[in-house]
Amino acid sequence: SNLMQMLATLYFEQGRYENAEALLTTLLKGRERAGRLDDRWIVGAKGLLSRVYSRQRRYAESERLRLDVLAANRRAYGENNATVGASLYNLACITALQGKHSEALDWLQQAVTHGFRDVDSLLEDTDLTSLRNDARFEAIVAQARTPK
C-alpha cells in the first residue's frame, strides 16, 4: 500500500488527478473494508485525496475528507498537537475556498489556538486570500506571531 500511495502522490504532483483519485479510492475502499479506519496510512491517503479533490474544485468532497482526517488526528494525538493544528488549518483553507468565510476564520482561529504558527502560510496561501481583509484574520495573524 505504501508503494501505491507513493504512486498516487506522483500522479498528484504531475497533475494527473484522475489517476491519483482512482488509485486512492480503490485503496481506501479495501482498507475500510478491513476495518482499519484510523490506520496512519488511511489518514495520509484521505489527506492526499482531499488535496486531489481541492485541485479539481470538488471542495465539499475535500472538506468531508478533511473532517475525517481531523477526527483521526485528534484521536491519535490529542488536542494540543501540531498535526491537529495543521488539520484545522487545512479545514480553514477548504472552507475559505467555498466562500464560507466565518467558518473558515473559526477553523483558522482553532488552528492557531492549537499551535499553528506558520505566519508565512497565513499571509501567502492563496486559499486564504478571501479572508485577508477581515479584522478577525488580522487578529489571528497577530496571535500566530506570538509564541505559544
Side-chain angles (χ1 to χ4, degrees):
S1 336
N2 288 343
L3 188 57
M4 301 290 264
Q5 189 169 354
M6 289 171 59
L7 181 58
T9 301
L10 181 62
Y11 285 153
F12 175 82
E13 290 170 353
Q14 293 175 340
R16 296 170 60 186
Y17 305 127
E18 293 78 15
N19 297 100
E21 178 188 1
L23 189 57
L24 289 166
T25 53
T26 300
L27 292 170
L28 283 169
K29 285 177 187 169
R31 286 284 188 142
E32 288 173 351
R33 273 196 301 275
R36 299 181 66 182
L37 300 178
D38 274 353
D39 180 306
R40 295 313 306 154
W41 183 90
I42 283 227
V43 174
K46 282 185 175 183
L48 181 56
L49 185 55
S50 173
R51 293 174 63 202
V52 168
Y53 287 158
S54 181
R55 292 284 173 90
Q56 294 172 322
R57 301 189 191 295
R58 295 163 61 184
Y59 300 131
E61 291 168 278
S62 178
E63 181 181 359
R64 180 182 49 78
L65 288 171
R66 286 287 172 196
L67 286 166
D68 287 351
V69 168
L70 173 62
N73 284 335
R74 281 180 161 154
R75 284 189 298 273
Y77 302 112
E79 282 299 313
N80 295 313
N81 181 280
T83 302
V84 171
S87 293
L88 291 160
Y89 175 84
N90 289 330
L91 274 161
C93 290
I94 202 65
T95 52
L97 287 169
Q98 295 176 81
K100 302 180 196 177
H101 298 144
S102 181
E103 187 177 342
L105 288 163
D106 290 344
W107 288 122
L108 210 51
Q109 179 64 64
Q110 287 183 58
V112 171
T113 299
H114 286 80
F116 186 85
R117 293 293 186 270
D118 186 348
V119 174
D120 289 341
S121 289
L122 290 170
L123 297 176
E124 297 168 14
D125 191 329
T126 57
D127 293 350
L128 303 176
T129 299
S130 64
L131 307 178
R132 292 216 173 86
N133 292 327
D134 191 295
R136 280 181 66 197
F137 182 84
E138 294 174 21
I140 290 167
V141 170
Q143 183 182 350
R145 290 184 194 278
T146 63
K148 187 171 181 212

